[in-house]
Structure formats: structure tokens, C-alpha cells
């Protein structure tokens, strides 16, 4: 049977980078096996969930290039895929459990439970309060506010073999009669997730290990419903550099922030896949390679620590290498960043001609847009220091003469331009360094750029000559 996997976000914000890692493992396995990747929105908590957050999460998935086969927007045969639309399903199944004596209504009020908790605390400050089962054997069902609790077996234990953590056994006595449905009829996570994983035919649940403690409760529910449980794989955590829970205090944690910083999506996926998975010493993977290499046998238990610098290096590697980010992809990815600088109609061909000259150095697409700016801005922005240093009175006639001699170069290629410029310089008794920086500032407005003659080729003859002449004018004034 082809595996069916899922990612089940609670839409109360953005897509957290740790959530993206969890989604990635599920997605990779689905893609490598020809299986199905389901997106299920766990939005029963109306106060915390929002449609904007759902949108932000889906956008982040689209940007990362992780497509989902069933779920919001695409639908599928196991819908609805929003838990808020599945309440009647949970209700009916919970009523069945109550009828069969596997769950019960608990009428204890919050005040009563708080009082019991206080009493326990007074006796033993360290003890954890466990619901004493007051309503467990109640037979009446008055029409009063109540929660629904699971009647956890008092004997035996719940066992499973985790694909990452191995055999795990939890004595049932350690489990209290946990709440399935709140007073307001709101189904709690363990109930809704179990029912949905079953009804959506999920074969493997892979999620972060902070959920490992929920798994015994979910398994008790599978047993109570008489359902075959899926397999489980709990994944190590992505921690802060100090080893605590990774949060905004440490770094950017939303996927969107990395997009806005100009990281390429594969750079993000490549960095986060290493939290829990490794493949020998190989650090850098393209998407297809990753799909082919991924497997549960290489998923380890060790938590990882987030490292901004490492992340930035991996992202850069993806931008730099043409086998990882094709020229077409680079051009379309950098466009929004050029737009943001007001460069809204950049010709495609010139953009693609300019990119090879800058991609060796641009660590992000934000850098890339900055490095590409002068090719497309007319006139280029002029750096004051560069102007003062290099557009000197002495430089003016040189720039004019250089423009003159380059005006007739055929073809307008870097080699031909260089040969002509060298020849001209010799005749003048000059060397390259006597005019190269002035020419660079005239052409780019800056004192650093890719090789001069490459810049000229990207600019084309007309703009090269115009900029050299404009540089000469500026140098005179
Ligand atoms: N909505 C849960 C969460 O975001 C899903 C956990 C699970 O994968 O079962 O943590
Ligand atoms: Zn009770």
C-alpha cells in the first residue's frame, strides 16, 4: 500500500521553521514512495485560529515548493480538511464511545477541580494533580454542563514501536481520564487527531517528539474505537543555540521571514532537513536528490541546534550554484526584490546576462538585487566616495577617449573590448589601472563590480558609451 502522510498545522500564526521541518519529512516520504501528502487544518480552537494564518501557512508551503495532494484548496476524497468543519463527525463517534462505556460525561466544575488541586498542593506541593475519576461510574446523564472524558483502562500498558525512538511502553495507570470534549463541545486535539488520522487513512504519523506523550492516549483511542493505528515516527527537535525551545527570541522562526531575507526555498529545505536526518557527510542536496536519498533508517534521535550562520551558508550555496538554482529560476526569484527597489520593468535577457557576474558573491536575493541595481537604473546611483576618489579631473579625458575608441569595437564582446582597451592604453602610454576604476565608477556608480568588460557587455554598447561620457562630464565638474 502506498503511504499516506499528513501535516496538521494549528493555524494560529505563521509557518514555524520547525513545523516546516516536520512537514518536509512527511512530504519527502510521500514523494519518494509515490504516496499521498495530506494537509489537515487543526482549527477547532476558534479563538486562536484565523483564516489569515491558514493563508500564510499555505503560501509558505507554495513558496517552499511542498505541494499537497489533499487538503485546503485542492480538496480530496477524505474531506473536509478543516477540523472546524468536522465537528458532527467527532460528536457522533464520541457518543458511540459513551454508549459503549468507553468514555463518560464528567460534571465536575472547574471550581471543584481547582479546589481539589489546591488541597493536593497543600499536602504535597510537588504532586501533579490527577483527575480522581469522580464521574467515571456515574450512570445518570443530566442535561448539565459537562466535559467528556476517556475511561482509561486502569490495568495494562500501551505499547508501540516508534520508527525513530523504538519500543515505547506506558503503563495505563499513569494516564488520567483525559478530556476528549470540552464543556463548549470543542473536541480536544488527541480526539480530533485520532479520528482524522483514521478517517483520512493515514498510514504513518510523523511529528516532532514533543508530541510523543500524546501517542499513548491516541493509541488508547484507536483501541477503544476498534481501529488499526498508523505507524508513528517522532522527530528530534530543532532547538535554539542554547538548547532551549527555538523561538523569536533567538532568531527568525517564520518561513516567510527567510523568504523576505532572500533565501532560496531549496536553501531553507536543505538546511532544515538536517534536523533529524543525515546522509553521510553530504551537506548540500537538490530537491530530487533529497527525495531520492530520504529514508527513515537515516533519521536519528538527536536534537539539533539552530545555527544562523550555517543556515545562511547553505542558502548561499544554493544561490551560487547553477546546478541548484538555474538561471531561469534565479531570474524569476530575484524579480520581486528588484521590484521592491523600484526596478519594475527589467528586461529578461539583460537580467539573465547580468546574473552570472553577481551570483558568486550575492549571499541572498536581497544582496543580488542590490548588486544588480546599477544595470537597470538610469542613471545608476553614484556612490559619493567612489566619485570623489576616481572621477577626477585627470580621469575626464581618459573616459571620453575610452568611449570614443570603444564605440567602434565589433563584436561587442568582453574579449574584443578588452583587446581594444589595452591597445588604446598602450598607445596613450597608460596601463589599465590608470582608467579602470574611473570607468567602473562611470558604469556602475560603485568602486566594486564584476569585471569591467563583462559589465559593458551586459549594458550594451549604447549605454556603455553614454555612461562613460556621463562619467567624463561628472569628472570635469
Ligand atoms: N496541530 C498539531 C500541532 O500543530 C498537530 C500535531 C500532530 O501532528 O499530531 O502541533
Ligand atoms: Zn467528574
Amino acid at each position: 500500500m502506498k503511504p499516506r502522510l499528513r501535516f496538521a498545522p494549528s493555524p494560529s500564526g505563521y509557518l514555524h521553521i520547525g513545523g516546516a521541518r516536520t512537514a518536509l519529512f512527511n512530504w519527502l516520504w510521500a514523494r519518494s514512495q509515490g504516496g499521498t501528502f495530506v494537509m489537515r487544518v487543526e482549527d477547532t480552537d476558534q479563538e486562536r485560529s484565523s483564516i489569515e494564518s491558514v493563508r500564510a501557512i499555505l503560501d509558505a508551503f507554495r513558496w517552499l515548493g511542498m505541494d499537497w495532494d489533499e487538503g485546503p484548496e485542492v480538496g480530496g476524497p477524505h474531506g473536509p480538511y478543516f477540523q472546524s468543519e468536522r465537528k458532527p463527525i467527532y460528536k457522533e463517534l464520541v457518543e458511540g464511545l459513551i454508549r459503549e462505556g468507553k468514555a463518560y460525561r464528567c460534571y465536575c466544575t472547574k471550581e471543584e477541580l481547582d479546589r481539589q488541586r489546591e488541597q493536593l498542593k497543600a499536602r504535597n506541593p510537588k504532586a501533579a494533580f490527577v483527575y480522581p475519576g469522580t464521574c467515571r461510574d456515574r450512570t445518570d446523564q443530566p442535561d448539565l454542563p459537562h466535559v467528556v472524558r476517556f475511561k482509561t483502562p486502569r490495568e495494562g500498558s500501551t505499547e508501540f514501536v516508534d520508527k525513530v525512538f523504538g519500543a515505547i511502553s506506558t503503563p495505563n495507570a499513569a494516564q488520567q481520564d483525559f478530556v476528549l470534549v470540552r464543556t463548549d463541545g470543542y473536541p480536544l486535539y488527541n480526539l480530533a487527531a485520532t479520528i482524522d488520522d483514521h478517517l483520512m487513512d493515514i498510514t504513518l504519523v510523523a511529528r516532532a517528539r514533543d508530541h510523543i506523550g500524546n501517542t499513548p492516549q491516541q493509541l488508547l483511542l484507536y483501541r477503544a474505537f476498534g481501529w488499526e493505528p498508523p505507524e508513528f515516527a517522532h522527530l528530534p527537535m530543532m532547538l535554539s543555540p542554547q538548547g532551549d525551545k527555538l523561538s523569536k527570541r533567538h532568531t527568525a522562526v517564520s518561513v516567510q521571514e527567510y523568504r523576505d531575507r532572500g533565501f532560496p526555498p531549496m536553501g531553507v529545505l536543505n538546511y532544515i532537513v538536517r534536523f533529524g536526518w543525515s546522509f553521510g557527510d553530504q551537506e548540500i542536496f537538490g530537491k530530487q536528490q533529497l527525495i531520492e536519498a530520504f529514508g527513515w533508517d537515516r533519521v536519528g534521535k538527536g536534537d539539533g541546534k539552530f545555527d544562523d550562520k550555517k543556515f545562511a551558508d547553505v542558502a548561499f550555496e544554493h544561490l551560487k550554484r547553477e546546478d541548484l538554482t538555474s538561471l531561469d529560476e534565479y531570474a524569476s526569484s530575484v524579480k520581486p526584490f528588484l521590484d521592491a527597489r523600484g526596478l519594475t520593468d527589467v528586461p529578461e535577457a539583460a537580467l539573465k546576462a547580468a546574473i552570472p557576474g553577481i551570483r558568486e558573491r550575492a549571499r541572498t536575493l536581497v544582496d543580488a538585487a542590490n548588486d544588480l541595481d546599477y544595470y537597470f537604473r538610469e542613471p545608476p546611483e553614484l556612490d559619493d566616495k567612489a566619485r570623489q576618489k576616481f572621477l577626477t579631473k585627470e580621469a575626464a579625458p581618459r573616459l571620453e577617449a575610452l568611449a570614443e575608441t570603444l564605440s567602434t569595437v565589433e563584436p561587442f564582446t568582453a574579449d574584443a573590448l578588452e583587446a581594444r582597451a589595452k591597445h588604446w592604453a598602450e598607445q596613450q602610454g597608460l596601463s589599465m589601472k590608470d582608467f579602470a576604476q574611473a570607468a567602473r565608477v562611470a558604469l556602475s556608480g560603485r568602486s566594486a563590480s564584476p569585471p569591467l568588460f563583462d559589465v559593458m557587455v551586459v549594458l550594451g554598447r549604447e549605454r556603455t558609451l553614454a555612461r562613460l561620457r556621463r562619467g567624463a562630464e561628472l569628472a570635469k565638474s
Side-chain angles (χ1 to χ4, degrees), residues 104-109 113 131 133-136 149:
Y104 60 93
R105 293 177 170 190
C106 164
Y107 296 90
C108 300
T109 61
L113 294 174
Y131 174 69
T134 321
C135 305
R136 193 172 157 109
R149 287 183 184 272

Side-chain angles (χ1 to χ4, degrees), residues 6 8-10 42 189 207 211:
R6 54 44 160 206
S10 302
E42 303 208 323
Y189 159 70
R207 58 186 170 209
H211 280 292

Side-chain angles (χ1 to χ4, degrees), residues 48-216:
R48 302 181 59 198
S49 306
S50 74
I51 191 69
E52 292 73 37
S53 167
V54 173
R55 242 178 253 131
I57 291 169
L58 299 183
D59 276 349
F61 268 79
R62 269 187 283 269
W63 177 73
L64 287 169
M66 288 197 283
D67 53 336
W68 56 101
D69 307 303
E70 294 177 25
E73 298 178 3
V74 299
H78 300 78
Y81 293 92
F82 286 80
Q83 288 190 329
S84 58
E85 294 169 22
R86 299 174 64 81
K87 284 200 178 138
I89 301 174
Y90 310 130
K91 187 162 195 277
E92 195 188 318
L93 285 163
V94 167
E95 276 163 9
L97 286 184
I98 297 174
R99 270 197 308 278
E100 291 170 24
K102 294 170 174 166
Y104 60 93
R105 293 177 170 190
C106 164
Y107 296 90
C108 300
T109 61
K110 185 175 176 303
E111 290 69 31
E112 271 170 68
L113 294 174
D114 283 347
R115 192 161 39 75
Q116 292 173 12
R117 195 173 286 118
E118 287 307 313
Q119 282 170 354
L120 174 71
K121 214 170 155 191
R123 283 198 308 274
N124 180 355
K126 286 210 183 101
F129 178 71
V130 171
Y131 174 69
T134 321
C135 305
R136 193 172 157 109
D137 299 313
R138 240 181 120 135
T139 46
D140 60 335
Q141 291 198 358
D143 191 17
L144 292 170
H146 61 273
V147 301
V148 178
R149 287 183 184 272
F150 186 68
K151 198 182 269 186
T152 304
R154 294 252 158 96
E155 275 96 52
S157 58
T158 300
E159 273 143 29
F160 71 104
V161 180
D162 188 272
K163 276 181 104 64
V164 178
F165 285 85
I168 292 175
S169 171
T170 316
N172 293 333
Q175 219 73 258
Q176 61 177 324
D177 285 356
F178 54 91
V179 176
L180 300 176
V181 182
R182 286 200 327 200
T183 312
D184 57 6
Y186 160 120
L188 287 187
Y189 159 70
N190 279 317
L191 177 75
T194 299
I195 291 175
D196 289 350
D197 286 338
H198 172 72
L199 295 180
M200 294 179 181
D201 284 341
I202 300 303
T203 59
L204 168 61
V205 169
R207 58 186 170 209
R209 71 160 175 77
D210 54 350
H211 280 292
I212 207 163
N214 287 317
T215 307

